[in-house]
Amino acid sequence: MGFLGDIGSFIMTPLYYVVSVVLVGWHELFGALFGEESGASWALSIVGLTLVIRAALIPLFVKQIKSSRNMQLLQPKVKELQKKYGHDRERLTQETMALYKDTGTNPFSSCLPLIVQMPIFLALFRLLDQAAKKGKGHGILSDDRAQLLANAKLFGGEISSTFLNADVTVVKVIAIVLVIAMTATTFLTQRQLMSKNMPDDALTGPYAQQQKLLLYILPLVFAVGGIAFPIGVLLYWTTSNLWTMGQQFYVIRNNPAPNTEAFRAKQKRDAAKGKVDAAAGTVTATVVEEERRPATRQQPKKQSRQQRRGSQSGQSGPKNPSPKSGSTDQGDTK
């Protein structure tokens, strides 16, 4: 038991330092705004811790999405192998693993972010649990600060309380709400992946069965175990699930797997956007062409011969009589 304890301490001690550094760093910020003993400062610090951890896990999430897509696209080939080597389980396993290796696909990578998060989740759980029961700190979280965390109140209840040990009804209500939120977000995240980003032929077979199993088993596990989690841990996990939902929605919407509902929806959006862009380009080209076109000269109106003579006479005006004709007239008068 001592040997196993030493191994556990060897694994958990670095995680305690990582979690406590981020948690204390956020608490320095929010504690200056809301007070060091405020439950709001500790709750926001846990949310900040969650965001930092999830941001650090983005490369793993991208790898998970790519591997999950490869698994979906490989399902027709896996079915062919099952038909060909279904009578020989050992040969089927060898051929399937060779297919995964050739395509660089890891069938377990879909669980990788969850597996990586579990030690961090456990470290946070132990951090809050030890602070609540013994006022003991870990990492750079001192005993005094751990006592502040244990006694910090959120909506009238201590942030380190669980549904099982809470004496205040409000705390039980908060815990139940967070357990339901954690369970619902876990289910919706997995459901979103299966309904939007899995082709029809991938909804059958062993991989689909694995996904369906995770769809119902994981929320059930969190629902049962959630009543023993401190409120701070429930807050961490619910925030993490919300991050996953938003991140997954963005990836599925903008980079869906081929032959899926999300892929067809993206094609429709791109087609509609292309029509709008084409229409806008046509209007722009027309406007530019009109601006470049030289102004047309206005043609004179057609006039009759009489109108032209009248206008010419009006423009020239009355003619002055010549002196010669004037002298002749005078002579005639005489």
Side-chain angles (χ1 to χ4, degrees):
M1 188 67 181
F3 176 72
L4 294 177
D6 291 341
I7 294 178
S9 176
F10 176 77
I11 296 174
M12 295 302 296
T13 299
L15 293 177
Y16 287 142
Y17 274 96
V18 171
V19 172
S20 63
V21 164
V22 179
L23 185 65
V24 170
W26 281 111
H27 186 254
E28 289 289 336
L29 173 63
F30 292 117
L33 297 175
F34 302 102
E36 291 186 353
E37 299 180 2
S38 170
S41 65
W42 284 109
L44 291 174
S45 299
I46 292 172
V47 172
L49 168 68
T50 309
L51 298 180
V52 170
I53 291 173
R54 292 315 308 268
L57 292 177
I58 286 178
L60 284 178
F61 179 80
V62 173
K63 186 175 181 180
Q64 173 198 9
I65 290 294
K66 289 181 178 179
S67 182
S68 178
R69 173 178 298 179
N70 289 340
M71 288 289 294
Q72 294 165 16
L73 297 178
L74 286 176
Q75 287 310 298
K77 294 183 179 180
V78 172
K79 290 181 180 179
E80 291 179 4
L81 292 177
Q82 290 172 348
K83 292 179 181 179
K84 188 175 181 180
Y85 303 107
H87 60 283
D88 189 348
R89 302 297 298 178
E90 183 177 354
R91 179 68 183 276
L92 176 61
T93 302
Q94 292 175 353
E95 294 294 333
T96 303
M97 296 307 295
L99 177 64
Y100 290 154
K101 184 178 180 180
D102 293 340
T103 56
T105 303
N106 184 356
F108 302 104
S109 63
S110 59
C111 302
L112 191 58
L114 180 63
I115 294 173
V116 173
Q117 278 192 92
M118 287 309 295
I120 301 173
F121 172 78
L122 180 60
L124 179 61
F125 179 86
R126 291 280 296 170
L127 202 71
L128 294 176
D129 187 62
Q130 292 292 317
K133 293 179 178 178
K134 303 178 181 179
K136 180 181 178 182
H138 289 280
I140 69 166
L141 184 72
S142 64
D143 291 346
D144 293 338
R145 200 184 290 264
Q147 196 66 47
L148 291 177
L149 172 59
N151 298 331
K153 294 189 179 297
L154 186 67
F155 301 112
E158 294 179 352
I159 202 170
S160 57
S161 300
T162 68
F163 176 84
L164 297 177
N165 65 12
D167 297 329
V168 184
T169 304
V170 177
V171 178
K172 290 183 179 292
V173 171
I174 294 172
I176 286 296
V177 169
L178 288 175
V179 168
I180 293 174
M182 180 179 66
T183 305
T185 49
T186 302
F187 176 82
L188 292 175
T189 300
Q190 190 66 19
R191 180 66 179 172
Q192 181 188 54
L193 178 64
M194 294 184 63
S195 63
K196 298 291 185 181
N197 205 41
M198 289 185 69
D200 297 335
D201 55 0
L203 295 176
T204 57
Y207 180 73
Q209 295 301 320
Q210 175 190 351
Q211 295 296 318
K212 290 178 182 178
L213 187 65
L214 291 175
L215 176 65
Y216 295 104
I217 293 298
L218 282 181
L220 183 62
V221 169
F222 286 126
V224 174
I227 59 176
F229 295 163
I231 289 177
V233 175
L234 294 175
L235 187 62
Y236 165 84
W237 205 254
T238 303
T239 306
S240 180
N241 285 352
L242 290 173
W243 172 289
T244 302
M245 285 183 63
Q247 187 173 248
Q248 185 171 271
F249 174 81
Y250 176 82
V251 172
I252 291 176
R253 178 180 174 83
N254 294 280
N255 194 20
N259 195 28
T260 61
E261 182 180 341
F263 183 78
R264 291 186 286 270
K266 187 176 186 299
Q267 285 183 320
K268 291 180 180 179
R269 291 196 305 270
D270 291 344
K273 184 179 179 181
K275 290 180 180 179
V276 172
D277 292 343
T282 302
V283 172
T284 304
T286 304
V287 172
V288 172
E289 184 65 24
E290 290 180 353
E291 290 178 352
R292 291 178 178 177
R293 188 180 301 165
T296 56
R297 295 179 62 185
Q298 187 173 3
Q299 299 294 331
K301 295 181 179 179
K302 293 184 178 180
Q303 295 179 338
S304 63
R305 186 177 298 177
Q306 243 178 351
Q307 289 174 333
R308 288 198 300 273
R309 286 178 180 176
S311 62
Q312 288 175 0
S313 62
Q315 290 174 0
S316 60
K319 294 183 179 179
N320 295 326
S322 62
K324 184 177 180 180
S325 61
S327 60
T328 304
D329 292 341
Q330 289 176 1
D332 293 339
T333 305
K334 290 179 183 181

